[in-house]
Amino acid sequence: MKKTCKIFISILLIMSLLPFTHVSAATPDTVKDADTLVSELIYYYGEEARTDILRTLELMEEEYPEDYELWNAVIDQWDFIENDMVENLQVAPDGLPDDDTHAFIVLGFALKEDGTMEDELINRLEVALNSAEKYPDSYVLVTGGVEKNGWTEGDRMRDWLVDQGLSEDRIIVENQSSNTVENASFSFDYLYNDYDIDTVSIITSQYHLKRASIFYYTMSLLKAQEYGVAPIEFLAEGNAGWLREDLTEEPMDLKVRGMYSIAGVEASEDLPISQLEELVIKGDLEYDLYERLNVKVYAKYDSDFVRDITGLADMTEFDASEPGDQEIAVRYEENGIRLNQNITVHVHDEEISANLMNRAASYLAENGEFASEEAVRALGMHLTAVGQFEDQEEAAKVIRHMEAFQGLLNYQFNHDLISETAYNTLLNQSDALIEKWG
């Protein structure tokens, strides 16, 4: 029988099993208010302190579940915007809603002192016009309220679009805001109160897309919460930008400062960053052949926070097909601190059987050694039948069905349905099983 052992191993000592699936750095008498946690969350995002982002979200979930839902979504979206969002140039992409429930939000740019538009603003409007022509039923919201010589950006933008033939009925003008944060706030006041809009997307300069996107996404959720309605969906992937070749990215600190304003919280300063102290490994020490490694790796920090880092830690490969002892090296680095830990696991040898072969086939399939599930299933059906004959000790039937199994195996190999590695493994095992019962 398989013996299962549960282990905790740290770099300092072998620890007894302790529950730590929900560890918080705060105690009940040190609970922080929601605004403080939001401020700290934004600060840690700017510092790329992922552990403290997760720690702060956990505290928020414990004390302020509704705020947690909103800000957890914001962090997920911020990650998407920073790392995966495609920045479309010159025109909005395909696939946006093609009716009047969608609005393009076009961000303004400071006017010249005489009240005329800078070339950058005109370039943004050309992208907006291209997108409006592609989606002829959409609204176009132009935003910007800094006045120069009696003109605001919003008014100038509306007039330009009308001069280019866009119907004024499709244009929404926000001409009171003085910065991107107010752009977002005032824009959504219009959209939530005066229009039946389901989705929005941003048009601005390419370098401004990331900052504008996280601002508008967050503001939509906050305004929906304020008004007690379902949020207007912000389609980050529906963006369009004008490419300014001398400026293609904005610094993170500019985004962070704006997010404090979007959230309406004071900025945090010089917060401590959690430092890695221990690795804790939990899992099974002993395995049957072809059984998957069952190990979890946790990091413990000086803030008393514990985090599952199984998917982030480096581990040497475990070979479930190789009986005997195997040493697994675990390595993890964070904030310049690198910890290493080795564990030894044991894979039990096992007499050849149809059941063992079935496990082997499934293991090989999980490793991509078969071209289709049907090929694995066909072999599995043969092996299940052979297993029943083994239980009944009907040697002749075992041998006859294994010979048929080998014929199917050859067919699959000749038709590129199985890899050479899987073919050789299962062929050698089938020879051993036939010999066993011969």
Side-chain angles (χ1 to χ4, degrees):
M1 275 181 76
K2 172 187 169 186
K3 180 181 178 183
T4 301
C5 301
K6 295 294 182 182
I7 60 170
F8 270 165
I9 302 176
S10 79
I11 62 169
L12 301 179
L13 73 167
I14 298 178
M15 303 172 64
S16 61
L17 182 60
L18 294 173
F20 53 77
T21 54
H22 208 72
V23 177
S24 172
T27 57
D29 60 341
T30 60
V31 171
K32 298 175 181 178
D33 62 65
D35 284 351
T36 297
L37 290 176
V38 169
S39 177
E40 292 184 357
L41 185 65
I42 295 168
Y43 174 89
Y44 285 127
Y45 197 94
E47 295 296 316
E48 298 183 12
R50 181 59 54 172
T51 292
D52 289 298
I53 291 170
L54 296 175
R55 179 180 59 81
T56 305
L57 283 171
E58 185 176 280
L59 292 171
M60 193 177 292
E61 184 178 19
E62 291 172 354
E63 300 297 332
Y64 312 103
E66 291 186 8
D67 292 303
Y68 163 78
E69 292 293 335
L70 189 153
W71 285 98
N72 187 54
V74 168
I75 293 300
D76 286 344
Q77 184 74 0
W78 205 344
D79 284 342
F80 169 76
I81 290 167
E82 291 293 332
N83 302 310
D84 299 311
M85 184 180 77
V86 174
E87 295 176 339
N88 307 291
L89 299 179
Q90 297 307 118
V91 67
D94 295 342
L96 299 181
D98 57 1
D99 56 26
D100 62 2
T101 64
H102 183 74
F104 293 108
I105 300 176
V106 191
L107 300 191
F109 189 86
L111 300 176
K112 299 176 184 179
E113 290 302 320
D114 65 0
T116 59
M117 291 189 293
E118 295 279 4
D119 289 343
E120 181 159 344
L121 183 51
I122 295 172
N123 288 323
R124 293 182 183 183
L125 288 171
E126 288 175 347
V127 177
L129 185 63
N130 293 339
S131 303
E133 290 174 345
K134 183 174 181 177
Y135 293 93
D137 293 321
S138 64
Y139 280 98
V140 179
L141 189 157
V142 293
T143 177
V146 177
E147 188 172 313
K148 294 289 182 66
N149 196 28
W151 288 91
T152 66
E153 301 147 75
D155 294 328
R156 282 294 194 191
M157 295 162 77
R158 174 200 57 212
D159 291 352
W160 188 93
L161 289 169
V162 171
D163 287 345
Q164 304 305 310
L166 192 67
S167 171
E168 192 167 359
D169 291 341
R170 295 178 58 191
I171 303 173
I172 305 169
V173 181
E174 185 287 299
N175 57 8
Q176 302 298 314
S177 59
S178 60
N179 53 50
T180 303
V181 174
E182 289 185 354
N183 290 160
S185 179
F186 299 165
S187 294
F188 280 117
D189 285 336
Y190 281 119
L191 295 178
Y192 275 108
N193 291 312
D194 300 332
Y195 293 86
D196 188 16
I197 297 295
D198 294 334
T199 58
V200 295
S201 55
I202 285 289
I203 294 175
T204 185
S205 300
Q206 173 272 328
Y207 69 83
H208 193 218
L209 282 171
K210 288 182 179 178
R211 181 160 62 101
S213 292
I214 190 56
F215 286 3
Y216 271 79
Y217 175 84
T218 306
M219 186 60 76
S220 182
L221 296 185
L222 291 171
K223 286 293 182 179
Q225 187 181 69
E226 176 185 339
Y227 292 128
V229 297
I232 294 172
E233 184 178 3
F234 180 82
L235 303 180
E237 67 278 9
N239 70 73
W242 169 72
L243 180 62
R244 177 174 165 177
E245 294 184 356
D246 67 327
L247 181 61
T248 58
E249 185 67 76
E250 291 181 314
M252 178 58 73
D253 70 307
L254 188 60
K255 302 167 190 173
V256 168
R257 290 200 304 271
M259 284 295 283
Y260 288 132
S261 296
I262 289 282
V265 298
E266 294 184 5
S268 291
E269 295 181 357
D270 301 324
L271 295 178
I273 305 296
S274 292
Q275 298 300 312
L276 185 64
E277 284 192 335
E278 300 177 26
L279 293 183
V280 180
I281 305 173
K282 177 183 177 181
D284 295 335
L285 286 174
E286 301 191 23
Y287 294 86
D288 293 330
L289 279 168
Y290 302 109
E291 184 179 3
R292 287 291 177 186
L293 184 69
N294 179 32
V295 164
K296 291 278 190 182
V297 183
Y298 299 87
K300 184 178 179 185
Y301 300 85
D302 60 358
S303 57
D304 290 333
F305 183 67
V306 176
R307 173 186 177 193
D308 184 346
I309 57 164
T310 306
L312 301 174
D314 293 323
M315 282 193 279
T316 53
E317 188 172 349
F318 170 67
D319 187 352
S321 67
E322 185 65 34
D325 287 342
Q326 297 182 41
E327 188 172 65
I328 308 296
V330 180
R331 295 180 295 274
Y332 180 66
E333 182 174 356
E334 186 176 334
N335 295 331
I337 300 174
R338 174 180 290 184
L339 300 182
N340 302 280
Q341 181 62 51
N342 293 348
I343 62 170
T344 300
V345 299
H346 182 80
V347 179
H348 294 284
D349 204 357
E350 188 174 334
E351 185 180 20
I352 188 66
S353 67
N355 179 53
L356 175 63
M357 291 184 64
N358 225 336
R359 296 206 313 268
S362 297
Y363 174 81
L364 292 164
E366 290 173 4
N367 288 340
E369 304 291 345
F370 285 85
S372 68
E373 293 183 3
E374 289 75 14
V376 187
R377 190 178 303 114
L379 295 177
M381 290 175 63
H382 274 72
L383 293 170
T384 299
V386 172
Q388 294 173 349
F389 296 136
E390 284 192 290
D391 292 340
Q392 298 163 7
E393 298 186 353
E394 297 188 49
K397 290 184 178 181
V398 169
I399 294 170
R400 186 166 66 252
H401 278 76
M402 284 311 302
E403 290 172 344
F405 174 87
Q406 289 184 331
L408 176 58
L409 201 61
N410 288 327
Y411 172 86
Q412 290 188 354
F413 183 66
N414 291 332
H415 288 80
D416 297 323
L417 298 175
I418 186 174
S419 72
E420 185 173 358
T421 297
Y423 172 77
N424 289 331
T425 298
L426 294 173
L427 184 62
N428 290 336
Q429 289 182 343
S430 63
D431 285 339
L433 189 58
I434 290 172
E435 181 180 351
K436 172 185 173 181
W437 287 92

